Amino acid sequence: MLKITVDTADFHRQIQELQAGFTQIPQKLAKKYLKAAARDGAKVMLNPLKSITPKRSGKGKGQGNLRRSIKTAAKFYQKGSEAGAVGVIFYSRKNNLGNHSWILESGTKQRQNKKGANRGVGPAIHMMSRTRISYASQVQGVVEKRTAEALKNAIKDTIKPRY
């Protein structure tokens, strides 16, 4: 999961204004637009992560499974009086495509079988970590822009007459 923190007073003021704006509109609309903004933020990292994720060499079954397992999602949450949305990019384990992502992300230590035969070391590639660090500012920019647009669109939808 991506978490971005910024210590500027201007950013905090803008966030407070957006929060105040979203509390004034119906929660159904806030949920719809905040989830879309969070999902757009996660999508910024989708193609770079796919390009940095290694593909198994050779022929046969399993080429590109890890790349195909990369997904984005957004979740809306409400905790007391606070509500928000979280955008996530992850390796899906559905159909056993991304089960081995942790091996490539974290690496493995030196290992041996019961007879003492060497089974090698798996170096850590840190695909997710590198992508998160490289694209954090772009994700923040997209989320800020989309959230401001989302508030305007939600207000328009609130004002729109329903027949």
Side-chain angles (χ1 to χ4, degrees):
M1 185 180 349
L2 179 64
K3 183 176 182 179
I4 301 170
T5 57
V6 178
D7 292 330
T8 62
D10 186 45
F11 177 71
H12 290 295
R13 183 186 54 76
Q14 290 175 351
I15 293 296
Q16 288 174 346
E17 289 174 2
L18 286 171
Q19 284 178 339
F22 274 108
T23 58
Q24 310 258 334
I25 59 174
Q27 184 162 348
K28 186 176 180 180
L29 288 175
K31 180 178 179 179
K32 172 184 169 183
Y33 286 109
L34 284 176
K35 279 178 68 173
R39 190 176 301 110
D40 287 345
K43 283 183 180 178
V44 169
M45 295 191 317
L46 188 63
N47 288 333
L49 183 59
K50 282 187 177 186
S51 67
I52 200 171
T53 300
K55 184 177 177 182
R56 191 174 106 190
S57 61
K59 293 185 177 183
K61 192 175 180 180
Q63 263 87 3
N65 279 350
L66 193 56
R67 287 184 184 178
R68 280 195 300 277
S69 74
I70 299 171
K71 306 289 182 208
T72 60
K75 176 116 174 106
F76 182 81
Y77 67 89
Q78 174 113 27
K79 194 172 191 178
S81 62
E82 291 190 19
V86 176
V88 182
I89 186 166
F90 61 98
Y91 292 99
S92 172
R93 296 178 134 206
K94 187 174 183 183
N95 298 326
N96 296 324
L97 292 182
N99 285 347
H100 58 295
S101 64
W102 66 273
I103 294 174
L104 295 174
E105 183 70 28
S106 305
T108 59
K109 62 182 181 179
Q110 181 70 34
R111 54 198 191 278
Q112 299 173 344
N113 66 9
K114 289 182 181 179
K115 293 183 179 181
N118 182 19
R119 293 298 174 235
V121 175
I125 298 175
H126 300 297
M127 303 136 338
M128 186 71 78
S129 305
R130 290 189 325 199
T131 306
R132 184 182 66 231
I133 291 167
S134 300
Y135 289 88
S137 61
Q138 289 181 17
V139 169
Q140 179 183 346
V142 167
V143 170
E144 287 175 10
K145 181 181 175 188
R146 296 287 194 261
T147 305
E149 291 172 3
L151 181 58
K152 291 177 187 174
N153 291 337
I155 291 170
K156 284 180 187 176
D157 278 359
T158 304
I159 297 171
K160 193 185 299 181
R162 307 261 185 235
Y163 296 104

